[in-house]
Each structure stands twice: as structure tokens, then as C-alpha cells.
Amino acid sequence: MNAPADPGTATGPDTVAVAAASPDRAQPYRELGLTAEEYQRIRGLLGRRPTDPELALYSVMWSEHCSYKSSRRYLRRFADQAPQVKGDSEGGAGGALLAGIGHNAGVVDIGEGYAATFKIESHNHPSYVEPFQGAATGVGGIVRDILAMGARPVAVMDSLRFGPADAPDTARVLPGVVGGISFYGNCLGLPNIGGELAFDPCYAGNPLVNALCVGVMRHEDLRFAVARGAGNKVILFGARTGPDGIGGASVLASASFGGGEAAKRPSVQVGDPFMEKLLVECCLELGAAGLLAGIQDLGAAGVSCATAELAAGGGSGMTVNLDLVPLRDASLGPAEILMSESQERMMAVVEPRHVDRFAAICARWDVPATVIGEVTGTGRLEMTWRGEVVVDIAPETAASQGPVYDRPVVRPASQDALAADGPAALTRPDPGGLLDTLLTLLSWADLADKTWVTGQYDRHVLGDTVLAAPEDAGVIRVDEQTGLGLALATDGNGRYSRLDPYAGAQLALAEAYRNVAATGARPVAVTNCLNFGSPEDPGVMWQFAETVRGLADGCAFLRTPVTGGNVSFYNQTGEVPIHPTPVVGVLGVLPDVRHRLSLGFRRPGASVVLLVRTGSDFGGSAWAWAVHGHLGGRPPAVDLAAERALASVLAAAADEGLLAAAHDLSDGGLAVALAECCVSGAAGCRVSLPGDPFTMLFSESPARVVAEVAPGAEAALAALCARHAVPLADLGSVGGDQLEVAGCFSVARNDLAAARAGVLPALFG
């Protein structure tokens, strides 16, 4: 998608004066993703038709991707219902929100004078069109969001979903996506510490590529995207601006696929992780030197976004000379410069007295830097091209006053039939078939060994990775002296959300919360990436509204504020949307990483226990889908009070050394969890089940953890669980080289590992 062309050289660029004198000139607003009503609103705001560069600017800033025009009225719930969490930096507890929704990324106090910033965003459509670069630039973009807050990026994660694992197009897309993520992250020198990989027919033709980054800073390093101080200089630094990514936010990321994807390739950005590495170090040195009065990354909407948001955020004005923007392609006109989403670029606001030192630091890092404008007190964003004014707008009209839609919301009639079609009638295996059921689940692509993917990522670069995939959560050490660390997990389940979007959102939150707690960390904050079909479909909007309501209610109850995130609409091919797929990232604080818990069984003779009760929860389960291809009924019953109590027990048990290992129960239930504990550790186990074997093994009741008790800590753990009213069941003991379920089956650890190991290599080489 190209930007609107300027009139021919005989008449010169489309200036503000030309626009005022030619009100009836046709403009390609529809091709840029604007509706007729939005175009007329722009004309009303300006009192004239927009110039071509102004039309380009509004088209990207008012896109679904940038303005959240269909979701903003719902997203207010996250702020309105945010729990007020007071930090305790002196005691090392942390938890206070230092920057929340509306900033480049959320920032949370984690104690000891440190803060963590984290965010997850989507790069779905670009990753389908051009898998390698689409995924690679998704990593680059989220890293710059963290950098713009003043933090050093310390780790990345990714949450990936594709069509059927054996589909030809999955074989095209998945290796490219994984290759792009590994290339960019490895070159940048950031450990990839975890995430998700799932497959479902609903994602065929519309994969989900959600990238998360976390950064660490001291409190005093916090930066904001504001432009204040008339006379301060606006500096564009990093890579040169080229034609890649033009129209990416307004067209590629804000519309459904309907054919002709190859023609969209120019809208996918091209990344250079080596330039980004230089940019990271350069930005951190500029911040440490006190040279940044404001800073913003250039991602979606490029120069349009950075200038409008900086000016609007500071309540100021700004003048920009587009002739000064360094270009890779000298033929680019002003509209194309404004729409370009070329990567590895940042924009800073710098006091005049600091410009020379700013330039010297950039030069030392071999990062090009150019003064392209300055802050004014006019309240206007004004841009010139070849000496003529081509943009003259109030910046807030682009940055924060875009259209807000109250789209029709209708609960689909199909929901009742879906809920009524429960899994009760599905054939359950007899005791002799329980092992075959387990092996079927372990060889299912969603639950198979992910080493084919994670082995391409550097998980230990920087030297502070404590836990990484396949652990329940990634753990990073923040402070070597105190052992302070962070735990991070991402989770989502489209099947659960298809059955009940409200409950599905809370189940995604609960699982990520539980995964973080299973390391011994205390969950403190949430980010999310909300992936849905077209907002113009009333049924999709019902799914979205229910998801936001469920997630906001759940976060309020668990006292984990939503710090920010991303909404990705139009995830559908033709008329068929994906399952509603909220991906929830939870950040936890671990006071001392030396007390963390991992998932593998390692101490023969230690007790194996199950925390919290098991119900009959099979709606949307791995067993129902993988074995029977069935999706229907109700998802597992959410119990947030039980999740909170369980997390308190796990944090205390880790701190007091009562547990040697812990693993959450989710997809596949206890059977899969026990298999993973045996395979990931150094020993098997022998357990006896206190109820119906099939239900105990394969139910997906939430708020459950299987754990290995430290020798001699049984009584203390029981007392701790009793204080928090957390049910505790003794299942058996660690030992041997088998997973033995008394009266049901016994299987060697090697056979469990073999069932999981070859699945992805056989599919993707």
C-alpha cells in the first residue's frame, strides 16, 4: 500500500495552502483504511480538506491498530477497576504501579529501588505475509517500547498459534516465524525465556505472533514520551527511513485477509537487529547522561506517531522539517516519510545545550542522529517539505482524539448450542486405555516437546537466566547481591474462550498467575494481547466485551493491575474469525532466585502431593479436542480465591524451603503434568489416585499444582496449607525410572520422552 502521491512536479507538493484552495480534489482515503465519515471528520477538524501528508498521518493514527477505536470504550475497564497496590521498596516487596495504561509499557516497582517494565504486542498479519521479517520486527518493536521507558531490555518471550500442525501453510509460516524470532533476539543478545506454541484450524491463514519483552531499571531512570520546553530540539536517531512498512498500521494490521497477500509484502517492515543493539546501548547511555527530556520509539505509524504523541503528551507544539529526515530512498515524498514503519528508529526531545553531547554519544555508537525540528508553544504540529507547510494540525486530534466506536454487540445464537453440547457423551477409556490416552496427548503437537523451537533461541545470554522453557515461567535475576528476580509467564486458551469468553479470559489470567506462582514468585502485574476477529461482527464484539469484563474482574480480585497491552482485531480470513484468544502475561517478583522452584522431580523418596481439589472439568479440554475432536460444553470452573490462596502457599513454601519442585496443572491435567515432571527431572514417581482414575488424570480443573516436598517438610507444608485453606492430597513418592499410577499403568520415563520428542522435528524438519 503506497501513500497518496503528491501532485506532479509542475504544481509542487500538496501544501496546506494548496489544500485550502482545492477543497474538491479527490483523495484516496478508502485505500488508506479510512471511512467516508472519518474523512469528513478530518475535514471538519481542519476546516478544509487534508493535504496528502495529513491524510497519510491521520490514516495511520486513526487506524484500528493505533487508535483502538473499536476497543477503547471497553479498555477503560482496566483502569477503572485497577487495584490500588502500594509498594514496599524498603522491604523489597514491590508491586506499586509507576506507569500504566497509556504509556509505551507498564512499569512496576519490584523492590530494592528497581522497577520492571513489560509489555506484549501482536505482529500477526505481517507474520503471515512475510513470516521471517514479520516475526523479527515484532521482536524489535516490543524491545523499543521497553527501551522508550528508560529500561534495559533483559528478556523476551513469544506466544505463537498456527493452523493445523500438519497443514502445508503451517509448514511455510511456522519455520519462518521461529527463524525470525531467533534471528532478531539472538543477534540482539536477549534471552528468550518462554512462551507458548499451539495449533488449531481456526488460525489457518491467520497465525498469532505475540511478542513480549521485559526490561529493568532503577526508579530514577524512568522516561516518558513527552515534548515540553519551547526551543528544545527534536532529534530522529537510528536507522534511515525507507519504503518498508508503508501502510502497515493502517491497512495490513487493521483489516481482514481476503486474498492477494503477496501484494501486501511491501507493508512488512525489514529489521536490522545489529542496528537495534547499537540503538539500545546508545539510548541507555543518553539516559544515564541526563540528556533526554522526552523519548519515543518509532513503531507502527512511524514519524506520524512519534511526533503526534510526543507533542500531544507534552501539551505543546512542534515544528518538523521533513527534508531533514535521513532517507534510504531519496524518492520518498512527505506522505511516505510519515507512513513509513522502517525499524530501529527513535525520537528524542533534547535541550539545545545538550545537542552536541547527544550527537557525540550517538556517533560513538555509530548511530545516525539528525535534528529535524523543535518544540514550540503553539499547540500545533507543523511540518514543512521543500520550504512549504504540508502538515498543520492540533497533535491531540491525531494522537488521542480519534474516533471511538460503540459497535453493535450481540451474543451469538450458536453459544447456546455450543454450551449444550458438553463432553459427557464422549467415550472415556477403560483403565487399560489410560496409558494410550496419555501417550496420545503427549504426542499431540500442542503438548509435545517444544525443543525444536526453543533450541533455536539463546536462553542464557547475559548470564542472568535462572529458569527458561520448558519451565512453568521464565525467571531472570535482577540483582546479584540480593538475588532479587522476576518471573514471567504467558498463557491463553482459545478453546476455553470460544466456549465462554468471560471465563476464558479469567482462565488465561489464572494459568499465567499460577505458572508464575509455581516458581515461588509473587504475581504483581498483568499485560495482555487481545486477539479477535473483525470488530464489525457483532458476535466478535460480544466476545471482546466479555473478555475485557472477565479479565478486568479477575485482575481486580487478584490485585494484579493491567499495565498495558495490545488489541489485535481483524484476525480472520474471509468471514471466519479465529477463536477469541486473549493472551495474558503475568509478572511476578521473586525476592531471592536461589529459592525458586522448578518443575522436575529430582529427589528419590520425596513425597509427591497435589494441592487443591480436582473436579470433573472436560469442556474445551485437551482430551476432548485431541482425542475426539470435540469442542463444546462449559470450560473449567474458575476459582480465583483458590488461585490466590494457592499462590500464597507456593510463595511461602518456596521461601521456607518446604518444596523441591512444583508444576501447574493445565492442558492434559494431572497425567500430563506428572509426565512432564518425570521427563524434565531426574527421577520417576509412583502415585495412587484418590478418586476416579480418568477424572483425576485428565480433568483440567484450575488452581492446582503437583509438587515434590522437601524431605522432612511434610508437616510444615500441611500446616501452611491448612492456614490458607488449601486442600492437600498425598499422592505418592519420587523414585525409580517409571511413571507408575497404581492400578492403572506404569511407563518408563524414556518412553514418555520419546512420545513427545519427535513430533515437531517430524513436522518441520
Side-chain angles (χ1 to χ4, degrees), residues 335-350:
E336 293 167 314
I337 293 170
L338 288 172
M339 292 184 79
S340 170
E341 294 177 10
S342 293
Q343 298 290 286
E344 293 85 44
R345 297 180 298 165
M346 302 288 287
M347 187 173 287
V349 177
V350 181

Side-chain angles (χ1 to χ4, degrees), residues 196-217:
E196 301 175 275
L197 174 62
F199 304 88
D200 192 279
C202 76
Y203 305 114
N206 207 124
L208 302 186
V209 178
N210 295 177
L212 180 148
C213 184
V214 59
V216 173
M217 69 182 90

Side-chain angles (χ1 to χ4, degrees), residues 681-693:
C685 68
R686 185 182 191 278
V687 299
S688 298
L689 302 177
D692 168 57

Side-chain angles (χ1 to χ4, degrees), residues 106-172:
V107 181
V108 182
D109 170 29
I110 60 172
E112 309 292 346
Y114 287 101
T117 176
F118 72 125
K119 189 180 183 183
I120 188 169
E121 284 198 339
S122 64
H123 236 226
N124 301 338
H125 286 181
S127 298
Y128 178 70
V129 173
E130 180 56 53
F132 186 94
Q133 289 294 349
T137 54
V139 175
I142 197 66
V143 166
R144 291 194 302 279
D145 277 335
I146 298 307
L147 188 61
M149 299 306 298
R152 174 177 287 281
V154 296
V156 294
M157 302 177 77
D158 52 81
S159 179
L160 310 177
R161 284 165 176 78
F162 301 93
D166 57 357
D169 198 56
T170 302
R172 175 187 72 87

